[in-house]
Amino acid sequence: MGPFLITNPPAERFLQYWYYEQDAEEALPPTVYELLNQVMTLESEQIGELSLQGRSFVIIISPLYNLKSVRGAVAVVRDMTEERRLDKLRKDFIANVSHELRTPISMLQGYSEAIVDDVAETPEEKKEIAKIIYDESLRMGRLVNDLLDLARMEAGHVTIRREEVEIIPFIERIVTKFNGVAKEKGISLGVKISEDVNRDSWLQVDGDKLEQVFTNLIDNAIRHTPAHGHVSVTIESLVSSYLFTVSDTGSGIPEEDLPFIFERFYKADKARTRGRSGTGLGLAIAKNIVDAHEGQISVQSKYDHGTKFLVNIPKIK
Ligand SMILES: Nc1ncnc2c1ncn2[C@@H]1O[C@H](COP(=O)(O)OP(=O)(O)O)[C@@H](O)[C@H]1O
Ligand SMILES: [Mg+2]
């Protein structure tokens, strides 16, 4: 136990991390010795931080007095890993939002300046520039709406307005919205309904919100599938839930990216940020909505072969 009189279990854990990390037989990390020295010489409380084995600790050391002089110190160690992780998430989030907004804003500035400066010579060129400005402003609008949705949900204000939704017509209607795009891209798009689902089977769910989930999944599937590929939606009845899947024969998602796919602003293909790209918030929103229905959403994917998203929604409620 070296220089310690008493320690409690969290302190033991901290010391264990330290012993594990070092080669030499030092009783304490150098940061702690430095703090301790300061406490003894300055006779005042000192605060420091250090990380061990990937965890963040805050250490507060206060002097212990023996009538007139300092005779020792008491150190309080707090494991702040979770707080630091949340701080980092928040900072990353702000950085991401700023980045996502900066790109369209600079496009708007650049292209509108071109019009102001009469760079465009023909009416066609002018129109082309105006179209870019229009598309970018739509993109910004989508981003802001998605951000608002997500912020509301993460603040715990997801209001699920449950109504009776007839499953087959519901899914067929959503898929129909994509017939045009799929055809344009040369992708086959279909719905497969298992025999245990009837024409009038229904779920008590928030139809608008679930439509948002499936719209995003099908949009993603079509966007990441090349010509001649297939996208298919299936509906199956399980014992206590309905299982919906959206599969494609597209690019797939690299295995190392799979654990992060439902995080905000996650985009597997970092280079692909322009064009008809989304905001990187769709799956985070989808997960919030499915969670609010007490369901599950998961993904299976093989890079270069295809991807399958599974959505499970409980029957009772
Ligand atoms: N079916 C899919 N095939 C390949 N990659 C996908 C698929 N669905 C989602 N992804 C990856 O997950 C990322 C996040 O999806 P999403 O949250 O919907 O954001 P967005 O569609 O706005 O980019 C996408 O940018 C893409 O990299
Ligand atoms: Mg999307």
Side-chain angles (χ1 to χ4, degrees), residues 216 219-220 223:
N216 181 46
D219 172 66
N220 284 349
R223 241 174 335 110

Side-chain angles (χ1 to χ4, degrees), residues 134 164 240 256:
Y134 177 65
E164 216 167 274
S240 56
E256 66 268 26

Side-chain angles (χ1 to χ4, degrees), residues 157-176:
H157 305 307
V158 212
T159 28
I160 294 294
R161 286 196 194 81
R162 289 186 191 263
E163 53 183 344
E164 216 167 274
V165 171
E166 289 192 336
I167 298 166
I168 296 177
F170 171 71
I171 292 292
E172 282 178 344
R173 190 173 48 75
I174 300 172
V175 171
T176 307

Side-chain angles (χ1 to χ4, degrees), residues 181-219:
V181 214
K183 204 167 166 200
E184 216 173 89
K185 280 199 70 180
I187 293 171
S188 78
L189 172 63
V191 184
K192 289 195 201 93
I193 300 157
S194 96
E195 281 166 16
D196 41 28
V197 185
N198 302 316
R199 201 68 220 169
D200 55 1
S201 298
W202 54 273
L203 266 172
Q204 190 80 21
V205 290
D206 188 323
D208 286 344
K209 294 233 161 56
L210 274 192
E211 174 163 353
Q212 206 180 338
V213 172
F214 290 112
T215 300
N216 181 46
L217 293 181
I218 299 169
D219 172 66

Side-chain angles (χ1 to χ4, degrees), residues 1 16 45 48 54-55 60 71 92 99 144 146 150 178 209 215 233 252 312:
M1 208 54 319
Q16 285 309 321
E45 184 177 287
R55 302 195 70 83
I60 305 168
R71 67 167 175 96
D92 288 355
H99 174 80
V144 171
D146 281 358
L150 200 58
F178 289 94
K209 294 233 161 56
T215 300
V233 181
N312 222 296

Side-chain angles (χ1 to χ4, degrees), residues 146 216-225 246-248 250-254 261-270 272 276-285 299 301 306-309:
D146 281 358
N216 181 46
L217 293 181
I218 299 169
D219 172 66
N220 284 349
I222 292 177
R223 241 174 335 110
H224 294 97
T225 301
V246 178
S247 333
D248 64 65
S251 64
I253 299 164
I261 196 90
F262 294 103
E263 281 180 14
R264 305 178 293 198
F265 288 121
Y266 172 81
K267 285 178 191 164
D269 182 359
K270 305 280 183 325
R272 180 206 54 74
R276 254 200 87 243
S277 77
T279 57
L281 293 173
L283 288 175
I285 293 175
V299 62
S301 186
T307 305
K308 182 185 209 169
F309 279 91

Side-chain angles (χ1 to χ4, degrees), residues 21-169:
E21 201 163 88
Q22 65 155 1
D23 300 325
E25 289 284 297
E26 285 296 329
L28 282 169
T31 328
V32 181
Y33 273 125
E34 274 161 36
L35 281 177
L36 199 54
N37 275 334
Q38 282 172 5
V39 171
M40 302 308 256
T41 50
L42 304 172
E43 294 191 19
S44 68
E45 184 177 287
Q46 301 292 322
I47 301 180
E49 272 196 64
L50 77 159
S51 65
L52 286 176
Q53 298 291 301
R55 302 195 70 83
S56 312
F57 294 95
V58 167
I59 301 189
I60 305 168
I61 306 186
S62 321
L64 279 180
Y65 293 96
N66 166 8
L67 292 176
K68 269 191 277 167
S69 58
V70 180
R71 67 167 175 96
V74 60
V76 176
V77 178
R78 267 205 72 188
D79 186 334
M80 300 285 283
T81 312
E82 187 57 18
E83 285 85 349
R84 291 291 175 268
R85 195 183 69 85
L86 293 176
D87 280 352
K88 185 172 181 317
L89 271 183
R90 219 175 353 253
K91 277 190 200 132
D92 288 355
F93 182 64
I94 292 171
N96 276 322
V97 172
S98 316
H99 174 80
E100 293 290 326
L101 283 173
R102 187 151 35 178
T103 322
I105 287 173
S106 62
M107 300 271 271
L108 291 183
Q109 286 172 344
Y111 284 99
S112 52
E113 193 178 14
I115 289 188
V116 172
D117 292 349
D118 270 328
V119 174
E121 282 170 1
T122 63
E124 286 76 46
E125 274 176 7
K126 272 211 183 88
K127 203 165 169 191
E128 211 170 282
I129 292 178
K131 176 82 169 68
I132 296 175
I133 295 177
Y134 177 65
D135 286 346
E136 285 303 311
S137 69
L138 287 183
R139 204 179 123 75
M140 268 176 77
R142 274 202 305 274
L143 177 64
V144 171
N145 281 335
D146 281 358
L147 278 171
L148 279 175
D149 272 0
L150 200 58
R152 248 182 251 130
M153 288 177 190
E154 295 194 343
H157 305 307
V158 212
T159 28
I160 294 294
R161 286 196 194 81
R162 289 186 191 263
E163 53 183 344
E164 216 167 274
V165 171
E166 289 192 336
I167 298 166
I168 296 177

